[in-house]
Amino acid sequence: INDPHYMPMKQKELAILLQVAKEDREELSRALEELLGEGKISLSKRGRYAKAQITKVTGVFTSHAKGFGFVSAEGQEQDIFIGENDTGDAFLGDTVEVVLKGRGGRRPEGVITKVLSHGVKEVIGTFEKSKSFGFVVPDNQRINRDIFIPLERTRGAVTGQKVTAEITDYGRGRRNPE
């Protein structure tokens, strides 16, 4: 598909060209679906597979309590759906760069590739204390990660108190913000 001489083809044409036996065509179908999901190839309205055109947009991320979210971008008719595994390190209100990966139903889908700036600087929530650290459970359910508080920065807060936590580190990967 990445060959410069490739012309978009339907799945059956690809199977013939690649000499895929009929009993192995289900495996070819799964491979094509996976490549589509990753945004590496695209599928035309006429059912032809082609090299994906990488389209990047910038917008503001709004997370959902269940882990997925949406990016509102200028010039886009609809918000871009961001699956739970495609949010990267984005946090509610962040300005992000998104690579579009096609349509998944009614709206475009994308993957967040970069956080350009953070929108939320403080979080209001309930403080909880353990032996060696504290954490804030945000009141806003769209913030789906607790905020880690080192013991030396708890300022005497006790379990159950409402507090405002200033975010000093947004975390990377699966690490919580601090």
Side-chain angles (χ1 to χ4, degrees):
I1 292 178
N2 284 328
D3 186 281
H5 302 293
Y6 174 79
M7 296 298 291
M9 295 181 199
K10 293 187 175 195
Q11 183 174 326
K12 187 174 181 179
E13 295 168 320
L14 275 170
I16 293 167
L17 178 71
L18 297 172
Q19 299 175 352
V20 176
K22 286 192 180 196
E23 59 270 8
D24 294 330
R25 291 202 179 164
E26 186 62 36
E27 192 173 336
L28 173 64
S29 180
R30 282 193 300 271
L32 290 170
E33 285 299 317
E34 190 172 317
L35 290 169
L36 274 171
E38 293 171 4
K40 293 181 179 175
I41 62 173
S42 62
L43 182 61
S44 74
K45 290 179 182 176
R46 295 184 178 212
R48 296 181 189 274
Y49 292 90
K51 182 177 179 180
Q53 302 299 318
I54 296 176
T55 306
K56 289 184 182 180
V57 295
T58 300
V60 177
F61 178 67
T62 303
S63 55
H64 187 277
K66 293 183 179 177
F68 60 88
F70 300 92
V71 171
S72 301
E74 281 189 40
Q76 294 286 318
E77 286 182 29
Q78 295 180 301
D79 289 347
I80 302 159
F81 175 78
I82 309 295
E84 184 177 1
N85 296 325
D86 297 329
T87 60
D89 295 326
F91 202 76
L92 175 68
D94 287 352
T95 300
V96 297
E97 183 177 84
V98 177
V99 171
L100 297 178
K101 65 177 192 178
R103 291 187 90 75
R106 294 180 286 172
R107 65 178 71 230
E109 290 189 11
V111 177
I112 294 176
T113 56
K114 185 189 279 184
V115 175
L116 303 173
S117 66
H118 294 291
V120 174
K121 309 283 187 220
E122 294 182 335
V123 173
I124 297 171
T126 305
F127 182 77
E128 300 289 333
K129 188 173 182 181
S130 73
K131 282 186 178 179
S132 56
F133 62 90
F135 60 94
V136 174
V137 177
D139 287 350
N140 186 339
Q141 293 180 349
R142 290 178 184 255
I143 301 173
N144 51 16
R145 293 185 279 174
D146 296 341
I147 313 301
F148 173 79
I149 311 288
L151 273 184
E152 64 272 8
R153 293 190 178 164
T154 61
R155 294 193 173 176
V158 296
T159 296
Q161 276 186 324
K162 284 288 183 195
V163 297
T164 300
E166 178 185 350
I167 299 175
T168 57
D169 181 356
Y170 287 84
R172 291 269 180 246
R174 293 289 160 215
R175 224 181 83 220
N176 280 18
E178 187 173 313

